[in-house]
Amino acid sequence: FIDSLGWIYYKQKKHSKALYWVLTAVRHIPPDPTVLEHLGDIYTSLNNPFEAVKAYEGSLKAAEPNGDKQKRNSILKKLNKVRKQSLQ
């Protein structure tokens, strides 16, 4: 539920508060692909591509290799977009 609170703040464009709560969730639960994806989204909104890439990579690593392919593709798209933007 801590991640959900962070995601609510993210949706309200309160990105600093969102970051605090999602990082809290990351510290207290085993690696979760959705929580790590949220973390990547927040870092992207805060213009921190280095941390966003780490979070998205962690999300992919935490996801089951044969799991939801649509979800994995969504994360890969975000990861590739952030990598491309950070090179510009």
Side-chain angles (χ1 to χ4, degrees):
F1 69 92
I2 296 171
D3 171 64
S4 297
L5 177 60
W7 198 241
I8 289 168
Y9 282 126
Y10 173 80
K11 291 292 190 176
Q12 294 174 342
K13 309 257 187 253
K14 297 177 181 177
H15 298 138
S16 294
K17 284 186 175 186
L19 179 62
Y20 172 81
W21 288 108
V22 172
L23 280 174
T24 300
V26 167
R27 289 183 189 113
H28 289 91
I29 62 172
D32 180 276
T34 300
V35 175
L36 291 166
E37 180 184 10
H38 288 173
L39 184 59
D41 293 345
I42 293 166
Y43 277 129
T44 298
S45 71
L46 292 169
N47 197 29
N48 189 337
F50 179 75
E51 293 297 332
V53 165
K54 286 185 357 184
Y56 290 138
E57 287 175 344
S59 178
L60 287 172
K61 186 176 179 182
E64 293 187 32
N66 297 321
D68 184 346
K69 289 183 181 182
Q70 185 176 6
K71 179 74 167 170
R72 290 181 62 83
N73 287 338
S74 172
I75 297 166
L76 277 170
K77 284 181 186 178
K78 291 178 183 182
L79 177 59
N80 290 330
K81 182 178 179 181
V82 170
R83 282 179 175 159
K84 185 185 284 187
Q85 288 174 344
S86 67
L87 294 175
Q88 295 178 353

